[in-house]
Amino acid sequence: MADNTAIVPFRIDVPQEELDDLADRLARTRWTEELPADPRTRPPHPARSRPAGSTASR
């Protein structure tokens, strides 16, 4: 079997309009703050904060 682990350069053609749109959407993204290291101080996971037996989504 041939060893196909060589890195081969390649090019992709992405229209500038698409890149500008991506940059705009990333700039408007509201990132969450880092979670505390201690899991006991983290907010509960939404799936765990619903009443037992509830199947309704948020």
Side-chain angles (χ1 to χ4, degrees):
M1 180 173 204
D3 184 6
N4 293 328
T5 60
I7 298 174
V8 180
F10 65 94
R11 295 181 60 91
I12 60 171
D13 183 24
V14 179
Q16 188 62 46
E17 180 180 303
E18 295 290 326
L19 295 173
D20 294 342
D21 178 60
L22 175 60
D24 180 58
R25 288 185 286 135
L26 287 172
R28 290 183 286 119
T29 299
R30 295 183 294 167
W31 301 98
T32 60
E33 294 188 24
E34 291 292 321
L35 290 174
D38 184 353
R40 294 173 293 177
T41 61
R42 293 180 187 166
H45 188 279
R48 295 187 182 129
S49 57
R50 281 184 249 160
S54 172
T55 57
S57 55
R58 309 186 313 149

